[in-house]
């Protein structure tokens, strides 16, 4: 049993530790030592390292003999420029712009995106698949996502489009991945069979256990949805030799901010991974986090991170996606200029066939990118890629975390600004220390967990009889 509660040890991070002091480096504490995070390379060095002493001297302007590796690192990102175009590799189809739930914070405004309830026709869906195959570079994997509203309101088009896209991929020798985001209440056995046959990633929107979920995700009638979700999860989890993953996405509001209990409860339901996403922008402002909410959220998420640490050290994986994705971003550190592929390699499609920067911008003129019929408007995409590039985010220039955050969600920044920067830095600070600790205690195990193909696995006899030492 993973311990939680008042007796659980967990780091307490102050804003003084995470505030931007220098854009090129930042001090980070692990459990055993002080480290320095070098922004230009993603390196984590012991604070007494000679390289950092030299870099620190340079930063203070006391010495002009800058090490050559620091020079090359700075040059590699100082001159980065926004691309003029990026080919689409992933589309999310809003195949049903309607929903049976009445979540007050819903960015899609109960699925309609501010318009009338609508279903995507099979013609628009197939044209979207054709556009995706035409646009995606040969040799690169393709992703097709189904969203809404609630996509299972348009079950026939979901099934037809999946088969059509899979057959296109087979005939062209290309790899395609499928995903769906659903509230799960409408799932039927034939849907589960589709997920199994085509190796879907199924993301279930769920905001807690029992009443924690029901007060945020009721049916339009006001009735709670949790028991129905739980019943449908039984259908998903009971499939023999299940070939699809089932993920939980929790929207965190001031009403469900007790994360450790939710985390353990969702693990008990059998989810393969759990993601907590703070509510920063809703159409009406309902349930948005603000002020002290972010400090408490950071504390709660760190408690979940410590549960992940305990599990890792005992060879028990607790699939907290917030930790996993951040550790991967640290481990495979790149000078990322965008937080995601929105407006570039990834776009959303409205029921009527409009192309938008992502699923959150459907029917929003600020994210309009063209149409499925005519393709991406080059000028719209060029303007988007330029405006959203990290180098043009003035608020990020002095931040040590800029290449781990990459400017944060476009939709949230455009619609609300940056109220969560301290929270984001606090979480990244914690994960840098966690990464250093896990790398020190079990480097091969961590590399394997993060999908590093360079990790070496030594086959030999272990106490648990698995034959593998990490």
């Amino acid at each position: 049993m993973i311990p939680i509660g008042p007796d659980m040890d967990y780091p307490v991070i102050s804003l003084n530790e995470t505030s931007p002091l220098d854009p090129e480096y930042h001090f980070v504490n692990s459990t055993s030592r002080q480290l320095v995070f070098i922004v230009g390379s993603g390196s984590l060095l012991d604070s007494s390292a000679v390289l950092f002493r030299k870099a620190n001297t340079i930063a203070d302007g006391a010495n002009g003999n800058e090490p050559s590796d620091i020079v090359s690192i700075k040059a590699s990102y100082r001159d980065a420029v926004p691309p003029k175009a990026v080919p689409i590799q992933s589309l999310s189809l809003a195949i049903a712009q309607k929903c049976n739930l009445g979540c007050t914070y819903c960015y899609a405004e109960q699925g309609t995106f501010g318009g009338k309830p609508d279903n995507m026709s099979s013609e628009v869906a197939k044209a979207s698949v054709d556009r995706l195959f035409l646009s995606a570079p040969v040799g690169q994997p393709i992703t097709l996502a189904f969203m809404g509203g609630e996509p299972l309101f348009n079950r026939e088009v979901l099934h037809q489009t999946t088969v059509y896209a899979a057959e296109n991929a087979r005939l062209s020798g290309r790899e395609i991945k499928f995903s769906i985001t659903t509230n799960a209440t409408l799932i039927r056995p034939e849907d589960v069979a589709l997920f199994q046959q085509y190796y879907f990633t199924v993301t279930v929107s769920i905001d807690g256990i029992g009443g924690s979920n029901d007060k945020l995700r009721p049916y339009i009638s006001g009735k709670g949805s949790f028991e129905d979700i739980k019943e449908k999860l039984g259908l998903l989890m009971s499939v023999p030799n299940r070939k699809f993953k089932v993920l939980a996405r929790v929207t965190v509001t001031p009403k469900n901010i007790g994360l450790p209990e939710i985390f353990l409860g969702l693990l008990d339901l059998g989810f393969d991974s759990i993601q907590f996403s703070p509510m920063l922008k809703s159409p009406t402002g309902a349930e948005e986090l603000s002020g002290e909410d972010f400090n408490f959220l950071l504390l709660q998420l760190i408690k979940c991170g410590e549960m992940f640490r305990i599990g890792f050290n005992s060879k028990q994986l607790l699939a907290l996606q917030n930790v996993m994705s951040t550790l991967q971003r640290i481990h495979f550190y790149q000078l990322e200029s965008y937080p995601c592929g929105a407006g570039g390699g990834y776009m959303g499609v409205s029921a009527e066939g409009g192309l938008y920067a992502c699923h959150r911008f459907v029917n929003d003129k600020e994210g309009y990118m063209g149409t499925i019929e005519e393709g991406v408007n080059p000028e719209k995409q060029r303007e988007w890629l330029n405006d959203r590039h990290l180098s043009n985010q003035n608020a990020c220039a002095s931040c040590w975390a800029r290449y781990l955050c990459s400017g944060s969600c476009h939709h949230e920044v455009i619609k609300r600004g940056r109220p969560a920067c301290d929270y984001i830095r606090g979480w990244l600070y914690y994960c840098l220390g966690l990464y250093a600790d896990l790398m020190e205690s079990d480097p091969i195990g961590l590399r394997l967990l993060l999908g590093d193909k360079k990790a070496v696995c030594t086959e030999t006899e272990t106490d648990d009889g698995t034959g593998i030492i990490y």
Side-chain angles (χ1 to χ4, degrees):
M1 180 66 180
I2 304 299
I4 62 171
D7 297 329
M8 177 181 173
D9 292 329
Y10 55 87
V12 177
I13 296 174
S14 73
L15 297 184
N16 290 334
E17 293 177 291
T18 64
S19 297
L21 299 176
D22 191 287
E24 305 303 332
Y25 66 88
H26 194 78
F27 288 98
V28 174
N29 289 320
S30 71
T31 57
S32 61
R33 54 182 172 161
Q34 187 180 62
L35 302 162
V36 178
F37 173 62
I38 306 298
V39 174
S41 65
S43 303
L44 275 172
L45 307 177
D46 190 286
S47 62
S48 62
V50 174
L51 176 60
F52 177 70
R53 286 207 302 269
K54 290 181 178 178
N56 194 24
T57 301
I58 292 161
D60 290 339
N63 191 324
N65 299 318
E66 190 169 1
S68 61
D69 53 346
I70 296 295
V71 170
S72 64
I73 288 166
K74 286 184 176 179
S76 70
Y77 66 82
R78 179 183 296 157
D79 299 327
V81 295
K84 294 182 179 180
V86 176
I88 298 174
Q89 289 182 236
S90 177
L91 285 179
S92 66
L93 310 187
I95 61 170
Q97 290 182 196
K98 60 180 73 171
C99 191
N100 57 337
L101 298 190
C103 311
T104 57
Y105 60 74
C106 178
Y107 70 86
E109 300 179 65
Q110 282 68 59
T112 66
F113 295 92
K116 61 180 178 63
D118 199 4
N119 273 346
M120 180 179 288
S121 68
S122 60
E123 290 77 17
V124 169
K126 289 180 179 179
S128 299
V129 172
D130 293 340
R131 174 63 59 185
L132 179 58
F133 275 82
L134 179 65
S135 301
V138 176
Q140 296 297 315
I142 293 171
T143 302
L144 186 64
F146 298 97
M147 304 187 76
E150 172 48 53
L152 289 171
F153 261 127
N154 199 0
R155 176 174 286 105
E156 184 177 358
V157 169
L158 165 66
H159 285 247
Q160 288 176 352
T161 308
T162 300
V163 173
Y164 179 74
E167 181 64 9
N168 274 7
R170 186 187 68 82
L171 293 174
S172 60
R174 305 180 75 169
E175 177 187 357
I176 187 167
K177 299 177 181 178
F178 295 100
S179 69
I180 184 172
T181 299
T182 173
N183 63 39
T185 61
L186 301 179
I187 290 176
R188 296 177 182 172
E190 59 264 35
D191 304 320
V192 179
L194 184 81
F195 304 155
Q196 177 77 347
Q197 182 176 354
Y198 294 102
Y199 298 79
F200 266 66
T201 296
V202 180
T203 298
V204 175
S205 298
I206 182 171
D207 289 347
I209 304 299
S212 175
N213 174 83
D214 289 345
K215 63 188 176 185
L216 290 165
R217 303 187 63 81
Y219 287 103
I220 293 175
S221 66
K223 175 190 171 185
S225 62
F226 177 76
E227 289 302 322
D228 290 339
I229 295 171
K230 185 177 178 181
E231 177 186 345
K232 301 301 184 179
L233 285 173
L235 279 178
L236 294 171
M237 304 304 184
S238 63
V239 176
N241 301 312
R242 180 162 56 90
K243 297 176 182 177
F244 59 90
K245 294 186 180 298
V246 185
L247 317 181
R249 185 188 186 279
V250 180
T251 299
V252 182
T253 76
K255 293 180 178 178
N256 65 331
I257 207 166
L259 304 191
E261 293 81 4
I262 292 175
F263 182 45
L264 289 180
L266 294 178
L267 286 174
D268 286 343
L269 289 177
F271 283 103
D272 298 306
S273 185
I274 297 158
Q275 170 83 32
F276 293 108
S277 299
M279 170 46 63
L280 296 183
K281 179 57 186 173
S282 67
T284 64
E287 317 301 356
E288 292 178 352
L289 296 168
S290 61
E292 285 300 311
D293 293 334
F294 291 113
N295 293 331
F296 190 66
L297 172 62
L298 178 59
L299 174 64
Q300 293 288 292
L301 197 55
I302 287 174
K303 286 184 177 182
C304 293
E306 289 302 284
M307 293 157 62
F308 177 94
R309 181 201 299 268
I310 294 169
F312 177 88
N313 289 334
S314 61
K315 300 294 188 289
Q316 177 188 1
L317 175 61
L318 299 184
L320 178 59
Q321 190 59 35
N322 300 76
V323 168
M324 288 290 293
S325 59
T326 307
L327 293 183
Q328 286 174 328
R329 205 164 173 95
I330 293 168
H331 186 73
F332 299 105
Y333 189 77
Q334 296 182 21
L335 304 178
E336 299 280 3
S337 294
Y338 301 99
C340 64
Y346 165 65
M347 293 194 189
V349 185
S350 71
E352 295 181 347
L355 273 172
Y356 295 87
C358 78
H359 58 281
R360 297 190 70 171
F361 281 100
V362 166
N363 286 356
D364 187 333
K365 64 181 181 180
E366 289 189 84
Y368 178 74
M369 289 288 168
T371 66
I372 284 300
E373 182 180 354
E374 297 179 358
V376 176
N377 182 312
E379 191 58 39
K380 291 281 188 183
Q381 189 183 47
R382 186 181 304 114
E383 181 181 355
W384 174 274
L385 293 171
N386 180 73
D387 291 348
R388 306 317 310 160
H389 192 271
L390 186 63
S391 64
N392 291 321
Q393 306 306 305
N394 294 333
C396 303
S398 62
C399 181
W400 61 268
R402 62 189 178 277
Y403 292 116
L404 289 171
C405 168
S406 301
S408 195
C409 168
H410 299 310
H411 186 271
E412 291 166 355
V413 170
I414 290 172
K415 299 299 184 181
R416 193 179 173 194
R418 303 182 186 278
C421 285
D422 287 334
Y423 156 74
I424 293 170
R425 277 191 291 265
W427 177 245
L428 293 172
Y429 179 101
Y430 165 76
C431 286
L432 284 165
L434 176 64
Y435 176 84
D437 288 337
L438 300 186
M439 187 59 75
E440 187 172 12
S441 65
D442 190 356
I444 294 178
L446 182 59
R447 290 189 178 102
L448 287 170
L449 179 62
L450 299 180
D452 188 342
K453 295 180 180 179
K454 296 180 181 179
V456 178
C457 184
T458 305
E459 295 188 7
T460 185
E461 201 60 38
T462 62
D463 292 340
D464 61 4
T466 62
I468 297 176
I469 290 179
Y470 294 106

